Coordinates of all heavy atoms in Angstrom, one line a residue:
T46 N 9.8 -6.6 -40.1 CA 9.9 -5.1 -39.8 C 9.1 -4.8 -38.6 O 7.9 -5.3 -38.4 CB 9.3 -4.4 -41.1 OG1 10.0 -4.7 -42.2 CG2 9.4 -2.9 -40.8
L47 N 9.6 -3.9 -37.8 CA 8.9 -3.4 -36.6 C 8.5 -2.0 -36.9 O 9.3 -1.2 -37.4 CB 9.8 -3.4 -35.4 CG 10.0 -4.7 -34.6 CD1 10.9 -4.5 -33.5 CD2 8.7 -5.3 -34.2
R48 N 7.2 -1.6 -36.6 CA 6.7 -0.3 -36.8 C 6.1 0.2 -35.5 O 5.2 -0.4 -34.9 CB 5.7 -0.2 -37.9 CG 6.3 -0.5 -39.3 CD 5.4 -0.1 -40.4 NE 4.1 -0.8 -40.4 CZ 3.4 -1.0 -41.5 NH1 3.8 -0.6 -42.6 NH2 2.2 -1.6 -41.4
L49 N 6.6 1.3 -35.0 CA 6.2 1.9 -33.7 C 5.0 2.8 -34.0 O 5.1 3.8 -34.8 CB 7.3 2.7 -33.1 CG 7.1 3.4 -31.7 CD1 6.7 2.3 -30.7 CD2 8.3 4.2 -31.3
T50 N 3.9 2.6 -33.4 CA 2.7 3.4 -33.5 C 2.8 4.7 -32.7 O 2.9 4.6 -31.5 CB 1.4 2.7 -33.1 OG1 1.3 1.5 -33.8 CG2 0.2 3.5 -33.3
L51 N 2.9 5.8 -33.4 CA 3.1 7.1 -32.7 C 1.9 7.6 -32.0 O 1.9 8.3 -31.0 CB 3.6 8.1 -33.7 CG 4.9 7.8 -34.4 CD1 5.4 8.9 -35.2 CD2 6.0 7.4 -33.4
L52 N 0.7 7.2 -32.5 CA -0.6 7.7 -32.0 C -1.6 6.7 -32.1 O -1.8 6.1 -33.2 CB -1.0 9.0 -32.7 CG -2.3 9.7 -32.2 CD1 -2.1 10.2 -30.8 CD2 -2.7 10.8 -33.1
H53 N -2.3 6.4 -31.0 CA -3.4 5.4 -31.0 C -4.7 6.2 -30.9 O -4.9 6.9 -29.9 CB -3.3 4.4 -30.0 CG -4.4 3.4 -29.9 ND1 -4.6 2.4 -30.9 CD2 -5.5 3.3 -29.1 CE1 -5.7 1.7 -30.7 NE2 -6.2 2.2 -29.6
T54 N -5.6 6.1 -31.8 CA -6.9 6.9 -31.8 C -8.0 6.0 -31.4 O -8.3 5.0 -32.2 CB -7.1 7.5 -33.1 OG1 -6.0 8.3 -33.5 CG2 -8.3 8.4 -33.1
P55 N -8.8 6.2 -30.4 CA -10.0 5.5 -30.1 C -11.1 5.8 -31.1 O -11.1 6.9 -31.7 CB -10.3 5.9 -28.7 CG -9.8 7.3 -28.6 CD -8.5 7.3 -29.4
A56 N -11.9 4.8 -31.3 CA -13.0 5.0 -32.3 C -14.4 4.6 -31.7 O -14.4 3.9 -30.7 CB -12.8 4.1 -33.5
T57 N -15.4 5.2 -32.2 CA -16.8 4.8 -31.8 C -17.2 3.6 -32.6 O -16.5 3.0 -33.3 CB -17.7 6.0 -32.1 OG1 -17.7 6.2 -33.6 CG2 -17.3 7.3 -31.5
K58 N -18.4 3.2 -32.3 CA -18.9 2.0 -33.0 C -18.9 2.1 -34.5 O -18.8 1.2 -35.3 CB -20.4 1.7 -32.5 CG -20.4 1.2 -31.1 CD -21.8 0.9 -30.6 CE -21.9 0.5 -29.2 NZ -23.3 0.2 -28.7
G59 N -19.1 3.4 -35.0 CA -19.1 3.6 -36.4 C -17.7 3.7 -37.0 O -17.6 3.9 -38.2
G60 N -16.7 3.7 -36.2 CA -15.4 3.7 -36.7 C -14.8 5.1 -36.8 O -13.7 5.3 -37.2
Y61 N -15.5 6.1 -36.3 CA -15.0 7.5 -36.3 C -14.5 7.9 -34.9 O -15.0 7.5 -33.9 CB -16.1 8.4 -36.7 CG -16.6 8.2 -38.1 CD1 -17.8 7.5 -38.3 CD2 -15.9 8.6 -39.2 CE1 -18.3 7.2 -39.6 CE2 -16.4 8.4 -40.5 CZ -17.6 7.7 -40.7 OH -18.0 7.4 -42.0
A62 N -13.4 8.7 -34.9 CA -12.9 9.1 -33.7 C -13.9 9.9 -32.9 O -14.6 10.8 -33.4 CB -11.6 9.9 -33.9
Y63 N -13.9 9.7 -31.6 CA -14.9 10.4 -30.7 C -14.1 11.4 -29.9 O -13.3 11.1 -29.0 CB -15.6 9.4 -29.8 CG -16.5 10.1 -28.8 CD1 -17.7 10.7 -29.2 CD2 -16.2 10.1 -27.5 CE1 -18.5 11.3 -28.3 CE2 -17.1 10.7 -26.5 CZ -18.2 11.3 -27.0 OH -19.1 11.9 -26.1
Q64 N -14.3 12.7 -30.1 CA -13.7 13.8 -29.4 C -12.2 13.6 -29.3 O -11.6 13.7 -28.3 CB -14.3 14.0 -28.0 CG -15.7 14.4 -28.0 CD -16.3 14.5 -26.6 OE1 -15.7 14.2 -25.6 NE2 -17.5 15.2 -26.5
N65 N -11.6 13.2 -30.4 CA -10.2 12.9 -30.5 C -9.3 14.1 -30.4 O -9.4 15.0 -31.2 CB -9.9 12.1 -31.7 CG -8.4 11.8 -31.9 OD1 -7.7 11.7 -30.8 ND2 -7.9 11.7 -33.1
K66 N -8.5 14.2 -29.3 CA -7.6 15.3 -29.1 C -6.2 14.9 -28.9 O -5.3 15.7 -28.5 CB -8.1 16.2 -28.0 CG -9.4 16.9 -28.3 CD -9.8 17.8 -27.2 CE -11.2 18.5 -27.5 NZ -11.6 19.5 -26.4
Q67 N -5.9 13.6 -29.1 CA -4.6 13.1 -28.8 C -3.5 13.7 -29.7 O -2.4 13.8 -29.3 CB -4.5 11.5 -28.9 CG -5.3 10.8 -27.8 CD -6.7 10.5 -28.2 OE1 -7.3 11.3 -28.9 NE2 -7.2 9.4 -27.7
D68 N -3.9 14.0 -30.9 CA -3.0 14.5 -31.9 C -2.9 16.0 -31.9 O -2.2 16.6 -32.7 CB -3.3 14.0 -33.3 CG -4.7 14.4 -33.7 OD1 -5.5 14.9 -32.9 OD2 -5.0 14.2 -34.9
F69 N -3.5 16.7 -30.9 CA -3.4 18.1 -30.8 C -2.1 18.5 -30.1 O -1.6 17.8 -29.2 CB -4.6 18.7 -30.0 CG -5.9 18.7 -30.8 CD1 -6.1 17.9 -31.9 CD2 -6.9 19.6 -30.4 CE1 -7.3 17.9 -32.6 CE2 -8.1 19.6 -31.1 CZ -8.3 18.8 -32.2
G70 N -1.6 19.7 -30.4 CA -0.5 20.3 -29.7 C 0.9 19.6 -30.1 O 1.0 19.0 -31.1
H71 N 1.9 19.9 -29.2 CA 3.2 19.4 -29.5 C 3.5 18.2 -28.7 O 3.3 18.1 -27.5 CB 4.2 20.5 -29.0 CG 5.6 20.2 -29.3 ND1 6.2 20.3 -30.5 CD2 6.6 19.8 -28.5 CE1 7.5 19.9 -30.5 NE2 7.8 19.6 -29.2
H72 N 4.0 17.1 -29.3 CA 4.3 15.9 -28.7 C 5.8 15.7 -28.6 O 6.6 15.9 -29.6 CB 3.7 14.7 -29.5 CG 2.2 14.7 -29.4 ND1 1.5 13.8 -28.7 CD2 1.3 15.4 -30.0 CE1 0.2 14.0 -28.8 NE2 0.1 15.0 -29.6
T73 N 6.3 15.2 -27.5 CA 7.7 14.9 -27.3 C 7.9 13.4 -26.9 O 7.2 13.0 -25.9 CB 8.4 15.8 -26.3 OG1 8.3 17.2 -26.8 CG2 9.9 15.5 -26.2
F74 N 8.7 12.7 -27.5 CA 8.9 11.3 -27.1 C 10.3 10.9 -27.6 O 11.0 11.6 -28.4 CB 7.9 10.3 -27.7 CG 7.9 10.2 -29.2 CD1 8.6 9.2 -29.8 CD2 7.2 11.1 -30.0 CE1 8.7 9.1 -31.2 CE2 7.3 11.0 -31.4 CZ 8.0 10.0 -32.0
T75 N 10.8 9.8 -27.0 CA 12.2 9.3 -27.3 C 12.1 7.8 -27.7 O 11.4 7.1 -27.1 CB 13.1 9.5 -26.1 OG1 13.1 10.9 -25.7 CG2 14.5 9.0 -26.4
Y76 N 12.8 7.5 -28.7 CA 13.0 6.0 -29.0 C 14.5 5.8 -29.3 O 15.2 6.7 -29.8 CB 12.1 5.5 -30.1 CG 12.3 6.1 -31.4 CD1 13.1 5.5 -32.4 CD2 11.7 7.3 -31.9 CE1 13.4 6.0 -33.6 CE2 11.9 7.8 -33.1 CZ 12.7 7.2 -34.0 OH 12.9 7.7 -35.2
S77 N 15.0 4.6 -29.1 CA 16.3 4.3 -29.4 C 16.4 2.9 -30.0 O 15.5 2.1 -29.9 CB 17.1 4.2 -28.1 OG 17.1 5.5 -27.4
I78 N 17.5 2.6 -30.8 CA 17.7 1.3 -31.4 C 18.9 0.7 -30.8 O 20.0 1.4 -30.7 CB 17.9 1.5 -32.9 CG1 16.6 2.1 -33.5 CG2 18.2 0.1 -33.6 CD1 16.7 2.4 -35.0
V79 N 18.8 -0.5 -30.3 CA 19.9 -1.2 -29.6 C 20.1 -2.6 -30.3 O 19.2 -3.4 -30.4 CB 19.5 -1.5 -28.1 CG1 20.7 -2.3 -27.5 CG2 19.3 -0.1 -27.4
G80 N 21.3 -2.8 -30.8 CA 21.7 -4.1 -31.3 C 22.4 -4.8 -30.2 O 23.0 -4.3 -29.3
H81 N 22.3 -6.2 -30.3 CA 22.9 -6.9 -29.2 C 23.3 -8.3 -29.7 O 22.7 -8.9 -30.6 CB 21.9 -7.0 -28.0 CG 20.6 -7.6 -28.4 ND1 20.4 -8.9 -28.4 CD2 19.4 -7.0 -28.8 CE1 19.1 -9.1 -28.8 NE2 18.5 -8.0 -29.0
A82 N 24.3 -8.9 -29.0 CA 24.6 -10.3 -29.2 C 23.7 -11.2 -28.5 O 23.1 -10.8 -27.4 CB 26.1 -10.6 -28.8
G83 N 23.4 -12.4 -29.0 CA 22.5 -13.3 -28.3 C 21.0 -12.8 -28.5 O 20.8 -11.9 -29.3
D84 N 20.1 -13.4 -27.8 CA 18.7 -13.0 -27.9 C 18.5 -11.9 -26.8 O 19.5 -11.4 -26.2 CB 17.7 -14.1 -27.7 CG 17.8 -14.8 -26.3 OD1 18.5 -14.2 -25.4 OD2 17.2 -15.8 -26.1
Y85 N 17.3 -11.4 -26.7 CA 17.0 -10.3 -25.8 C 17.3 -10.5 -24.4 O 17.6 -9.6 -23.6 CB 15.5 -9.9 -25.9 CG 14.6 -10.7 -25.1 CD1 14.1 -10.3 -23.9 CD2 14.1 -12.0 -25.6 CE1 13.2 -11.1 -23.1 CE2 13.3 -12.8 -24.9 CZ 12.8 -12.3 -23.7 OH 12.0 -13.2 -22.9
R86 N 17.4 -11.8 -24.0 CA 17.8 -12.1 -22.6 C 19.2 -12.1 -22.3 O 19.7 -12.1 -21.2 CB 17.2 -13.5 -22.2 CG 15.7 -13.6 -22.3 CD 15.2 -15.0 -22.3 NE 15.5 -15.7 -23.5 CZ 15.0 -16.8 -23.9 NH1 14.1 -17.4 -23.2 NH2 15.3 -17.4 -25.1
A87 N 20.0 -12.0 -23.4 CA 21.5 -12.0 -23.2 C 22.0 -13.1 -22.3 O 22.8 -12.9 -21.4 CB 22.0 -10.6 -22.7
G88 N 21.5 -14.3 -22.6 CA 22.0 -15.5 -21.9 C 21.5 -15.5 -20.4 O 22.1 -16.1 -19.6
G89 N 20.4 -14.8 -20.2 CA 19.9 -14.8 -18.8 C 20.4 -13.6 -18.0 O 19.9 -13.3 -16.9
A90 N 21.4 -12.9 -18.4 CA 22.0 -11.8 -17.6 C 21.3 -10.5 -18.0 O 21.9 -9.7 -18.6 CB 23.5 -11.7 -17.8
V91 N 20.1 -10.4 -17.6 CA 19.3 -9.2 -18.0 C 19.7 -7.9 -17.4 O 19.4 -6.8 -17.9 CB 17.8 -9.4 -17.7 CG1 17.2 -10.6 -18.5 CG2 17.6 -9.6 -16.2
R92 N 20.6 -7.9 -16.4 CA 21.0 -6.7 -15.8 C 22.4 -6.3 -16.4 O 22.9 -5.2 -16.0 CB 21.2 -6.9 -14.3 CG 19.8 -6.8 -13.6 CD 20.0 -6.8 -12.1 NE 18.7 -6.6 -11.4 CZ 17.9 -7.6 -11.0 NH1 18.2 -8.8 -11.3 NH2 16.7 -7.4 -10.4

Side-chain angles (χ1 to χ4, degrees):
T46 300
L47 283 179
R48 296 194 299 204
L49 180 62
T50 302
L51 300 183
L52 181 66
H53 179 72
T54 304
T57 63
K58 293 180 179 180
Y61 297 99
Y63 176 70
Q64 296 181 348
N65 176 27
K66 295 184 179 180
Q67 288 92 329
D68 57 349
F69 285 23
H71 182 78
H72 292 254
T73 301
F74 64 96
T75 301
Y76 66 93
S77 303
I78 298 175
V79 176
H81 56 85
D84 64 12
Y85 78 99
R86 295 166 292 195
V91 297
R92 286 188 173 88

